[in-house]
Amino acid sequence: YVYSNFGIKVPRMADEQYYSGEVVSKLQPGDLVFFTTYEPGPSHVGIYIGNNNFIHASSAAGEVTITSLSAPYYSSRYLGARRYSI
């Protein structure tokens, strides 16, 4: 939804997003960050917002929330980041 408001097409599924975006080595706000959660491989995605934080729809919290990439649950499941641009 966020990307489409800026005219950027992003695949719907987390695994498709992970395998088609530009690989990122240094995070910038707006980059997508990926995690392996309920199944092996990229199964959860958030948007990096800076200061080591990302925003995402958390099933555990039941809402959209901001979380640190250093949080133990996510840091142990982090796969990498991808960038999409116009």
Side-chain angles (χ1 to χ4, degrees), residues 42-61:
S43 54
H44 186 70
V45 62
I47 301 174
Y48 184 70
I49 60 171
N51 296 321
N52 205 45
N53 293 314
F54 68 103
I55 189 166
H56 62 117
S58 169
S59 57

Side-chain angles (χ1 to χ4, degrees), residues 7-65:
I8 301 170
K9 293 188 179 200
V10 177
R12 182 182 178 282
M13 303 296 293
D15 59 343
E16 295 170 331
Q17 294 169 4
Y18 182 80
Y19 292 116
S20 63
E22 176 189 340
V23 176
V24 172
S25 57
K26 184 173 168 108
L27 289 171
Q28 294 179 1
D31 289 340
L32 298 181
V33 288
F34 294 87
F35 307 88
T36 181
T37 55
Y38 64 89
E39 63 182 35
S43 54
H44 186 70
V45 62
I47 301 174
Y48 184 70
I49 60 171
N51 296 321
N52 205 45
N53 293 314
F54 68 103
I55 189 166
H56 62 117
S58 169
S59 57
E63 62 188 8
V64 173
T65 187

Side-chain angles (χ1 to χ4, degrees), residues 34-35 52 54 67-79:
F34 294 87
F35 307 88
N52 205 45
F54 68 103
T67 304
S68 171
L69 285 169
S70 300
Y73 179 83
Y74 288 101
S75 66
S76 67
R77 291 167 172 81
Y78 181 72
L79 294 174

